[in-house]
Amino acid sequence: EITERKEREQELDETNTVLRTLVENMPMGVLVEDTNRDILMANERLMDVFDVPLSTHDLIGRDCDAAAENLKELFADPEEFLNGIDRQIANREPILNEELPLADGRILERDYIPYTLPDGEAFLWLYRDITERKERERELERRAAYLEQSSDIISVMDSKGEVKYQSASTDRVTNFSPAEVIGDFGFEHVHPDDLEQFEEEFLPFVSQPNTEVHEELRVQTKDGDWRWIDVRGMNKLDDPVIDGLLFSSRDISERKEHEEALQRERDRLDQFASVVSHDLRNPLNVAQGRIDLAQEECNTEHLDAAGRGVDRSLDLIDDMLELARAGQEVSETEPVEVATLADVCWDTVETADAEIRVDLNSTIKADRSRFRQMVENLFRNAIEHGGEDVTVRIGSLPEGFYFEDDGSGIPYDEREEVWESGYSGSDDGTGFGLAIGKQIVEAHGWDIRITDGSD
C-alpha cells in the first residue's frame, strides 16, 4: 500500500513546481543553496544581472564557493566580494540591500537570507541591478543641491496660497528658515502696497492651469527690513508631480536701488535742463535782440563778436539739453527704415555741397525721435570736421551699420576722448555731438566704436 507516499510525492512535486515558477519569474536574480552549499536553484534573471553567457543548467548542483570564485572578476573589489560572502554565512543573520560595485561601473544590490531545511541551514541570495536607480538618486541629489545652493527662492504653494515647500535660499534673503515659512500664507510678508496688485492677478492665475504670473514686489525680512524680489509663478496644480503653484523669486534689491539712483539722476538732469532752458535762454534771447537793435544804430565788429558769443551760448544750451535727455533708457521702439530716415535727416541739416550715399536697405527697431537725433548729430559732425564737400556713406555690417565720411578722420590716440562731453576738434564746435550720439546708442542697448574707414 503506497497511496500516502504517492500523495506526498504529488504534493512535493506541486510544491517544487510552484517554487520553480516563483524563482524563474522573480524580477531579480535568485540563487538558492542547500545545506551543503551546493546550488539548489537559480533563475535566468541571475545570468542577466551578472551579464554572463551561462544558463541555470550550468549552475545547478555546482559548489557555491567555486561559482563565486569564477564570478569574482566581475566586481570592482573581487576579494571583498568573496570575503563578504564568508562573513554573511558566518553571521547567519539576514542582510538586505547590500551594494556591490561592478568593474564595468554598474551597481548590484544583494539580499542574504538564511533559511532552515530538515537537515540543516541553507541560504538564499537575491541580486538586483540598481545602476539606473542609483543614477536617478544621484540626479535627484544633485538637483536638490542645486536648489539648496541657488540664490533664487523656490516655493510651492497650494491653491489657497499656503506654502508647501520652501528652498533653503529663503534664509539668505529674508532670514526666515524654510521651517518658519512652510504652512504660512505665502504672501504674508509682502508690502501692503504691492499685495493688492498681486492679489488681483493671483485669483485668475490660480483658476487657469499652466498660466504664468510675473511681478516685482517688496517683502519684509525677519529683521523688519524690506527687500525687492522678482517673482515668477507657474500654475502646476494639474501636474501630478508638483501639484501646486511653483514660484521662483530673485532678490533684486541692488538693481532697484541702482534704478532709483538713476531715476533721481534723471530727475536732477531734467531739473537742470529746465533751469538752463528757462533761466539762461531768456536773458540770452534778450541780449541777442538788443545786439540786433544796436547793430542798426552802430555797426561795429564788437557787436558782431558779441552776437557770435550769444549764438554760441544758445547752441551750447541746446546741446546740453540734448545731452541731458540722450542718456535716458529707451522704453518704446518701432520699426525704422534707416535709408528713409537718413534722407529726412540730410534735408534738415545744412549740408552745403556735401553728398550722402546710402547703401543700406534695412529696418531696425529704435526710438524714432532719438535715432533721428543721433543721425543728425553724426551728419553735422561729418560736415563740421570733413568740410562742406564731404561725402557721407551709410552701409551695413554683419550685425549693424556704419557711418563713414571721406574727411581727415579721427586720430587713433583721440578716439576715446572724442566721446567726452565738451571735447571738440574745432573752435566752433560745442563738443557735445558725439557724446549725445553715444548716449543715444547706449540707451538703445547698442554698441558704437570708431575705426578706420575704407576711403
Side-chain angles (χ1 to χ4, degrees):
E1 173 63 56
I2 60 171
T3 304
E4 290 185 6
R5 190 185 77 190
K6 296 299 289 183
E7 288 176 350
R8 286 195 301 273
E9 289 177 353
Q10 183 178 354
E11 289 176 359
L12 184 59
D13 287 340
E14 291 175 353
T15 299
N16 286 336
T17 299
V18 171
L19 288 175
R20 279 195 299 272
T21 302
L22 284 173
V23 168
E24 289 169 0
N25 289 279
M26 290 281 280
M28 61 192 69
V30 179
L31 187 145
V32 184
E33 299 182 15
D34 61 17
T35 54
N36 296 321
R37 297 215 58 232
D38 293 331
I39 298 175
L40 181 64
M41 195 177 296
N43 64 358
E44 293 295 338
R45 181 60 181 156
L46 182 67
M47 304 299 102
D48 295 336
V49 169
F50 284 109
D51 192 22
V52 292
L54 297 175
S55 68
T56 55
H57 300 293
D58 298 323
L59 291 179
I60 303 301
R62 291 186 61 183
D63 177 71
C64 283
D65 286 335
E69 185 69 29
N70 291 334
L71 293 175
K72 71 176 183 178
E73 297 303 326
L74 297 175
F75 292 85
D77 189 341
E79 296 305 319
E80 176 57 28
F81 165 66
L82 297 178
N83 293 336
I85 293 176
D86 294 337
R87 286 196 302 270
Q88 291 170 352
I89 292 174
N91 293 335
R92 296 186 179 276
E93 293 290 337
I95 296 178
L96 304 179
N97 306 324
E98 179 189 15
E99 293 185 8
L100 302 171
L102 294 179
D104 61 7
R106 293 183 299 135
I107 300 177
L108 300 187
E109 188 175 69
R110 178 172 65 185
D111 297 340
Y112 162 70
I113 305 171
Y115 68 100
T116 303
L117 292 175
D119 55 345
E121 292 287 329
F123 311 101
L124 170 67
W125 306 84
L126 305 176
Y127 289 89
R128 295 174 291 275
D129 189 334
I130 61 168
T131 306
E132 291 186 5
R133 191 187 81 195
K134 296 299 291 184
E135 289 176 353
R136 288 195 300 270
E137 289 176 357
R138 283 193 292 268
E139 180 61 24
L140 289 174
E141 290 173 358
R142 281 194 293 268
R143 292 183 181 183
Y146 297 156
L147 282 177
E148 296 303 305
Q149 297 301 319
S150 171
S151 58
D152 290 357
I153 302 173
I154 307 300
S155 311
V156 179
M157 304 179 193
D158 61 19
S159 58
K160 297 179 181 178
E162 182 177 311
V163 179
K164 299 166 58 178
Y165 169 82
Q166 190 88 342
S167 64
S169 49
T170 188
D171 195 0
R172 292 191 286 270
V173 177
T174 67
N175 293 331
F176 286 106
S177 68
E180 292 177 294
V181 176
I182 292 175
D184 290 346
F185 178 60
F187 310 109
E188 180 177 344
H189 302 288
V190 173
H191 196 286
D193 293 344
D194 302 329
L195 182 59
E196 183 177 354
Q197 171 67 25
F198 191 75
E199 284 181 334
E200 292 179 3
E201 299 185 16
F202 185 73
L203 292 177
F205 167 65
V206 172
S207 61
Q208 300 175 24
N210 298 316
T211 55
E212 299 183 10
V213 65
H214 181 205
E215 281 291 340
E216 292 181 356
L217 44 82
R218 288 161 290 182
V219 296
Q220 192 171 32
T221 68
K222 193 173 183 178
D223 301 327
D225 299 327
W226 292 100
R227 305 289 294 177
W228 276 99
I229 61 171
D230 180 287
V231 181
R232 297 178 182 270
M234 298 182 66
N235 184 331
K236 292 296 182 180
L237 289 169
D238 285 356
D239 188 319
V241 177
I242 299 177
D243 185 27
L245 306 171
L246 179 63
F247 292 93
S248 175
S249 305
R250 175 168 296 182
D251 187 351
I252 58 171
S253 300
E254 290 186 5
R255 192 193 82 192
K256 278 292 187 179
E257 291 174 1
H258 179 64
E259 290 175 355
E260 291 172 358
L262 284 177
Q263 186 59 50
R264 289 193 296 270
E265 184 65 22
R266 292 192 193 104
D267 293 342
R268 285 195 293 269
L269 284 172
D270 287 340
Q271 185 179 12
F272 163 75
S274 298
V275 170
V276 169
S277 177
H278 183 271
D279 293 356
L280 291 182
R281 194 192 299 273
N282 286 348
L284 285 171
N285 286 333
V286 172
Q288 189 179 48
R290 295 285 182 165
I291 290 172
D292 292 341
L293 291 173
Q295 284 177 324
E296 294 178 2
E297 299 177 2
C298 179
N299 188 9
T300 171
E301 62 181 15
H302 298 299
L303 289 175
D304 293 338
R308 289 194 297 271
V310 171
D311 290 341
R312 177 169 174 76
S313 297
L314 290 171
D315 289 341
L316 282 169
I317 289 172
D318 290 338
D319 285 350
M320 289 173 70
L321 291 174
E322 286 188 22
L323 184 65
R325 299 187 177 103
Q328 296 180 4
E329 291 182 5
V330 170
S331 57
E332 295 184 4
T333 60
E334 60 180 295
V336 177
E337 294 182 1
V338 178
T340 302
L341 185 79
D343 288 338
V344 173
C345 294
W346 191 257
D347 291 338
T348 61
V349 176
E350 294 183 10
T351 55
D353 296 328
E355 182 182 351
I356 181 175
R357 297 176 184 175
V358 181
D359 303 323
L360 176 65
N361 186 23
S362 298
T363 299
I364 63 172
K365 297 278 284 184
D367 181 315
R368 181 180 296 273
S369 174
R370 295 169 72 182
F371 184 63
R372 176 175 176 174
Q373 182 184 3
M374 181 201 77
V375 174
E376 290 175 351
N377 271 283
L378 292 176
F379 284 166
R380 291 193 190 97
N381 188 76
I383 294 167
E384 180 180 341
H385 297 283
E388 294 183 351
D389 60 347
V390 70
T391 298
V392 179
R393 181 180 290 109
I394 304 176
S396 64
L397 296 171
E399 296 182 356
F401 50 92
Y402 66 84
F403 285 74
E404 179 185 47
D405 67 64
D406 58 358
S408 60
I410 301 174
Y412 184 82
D413 57 356
E414 295 181 22
R415 290 180 183 178
E416 290 301 320
E417 295 178 275
V418 296
W419 299 121
E420 298 175 4
S421 301
Y423 183 89
S424 178
S426 70
D427 296 334
D428 298 330
T430 62
F432 288 109
L434 287 181
I436 292 170
K438 183 177 183 182
Q439 289 207 21
I440 293 173
V441 165
E442 292 177 344
H444 280 81
W446 305 339
D447 295 314
I448 188 170
R449 69 179 185 272
I450 299 172
T451 185
D452 290 325
S454 61
D455 186 3

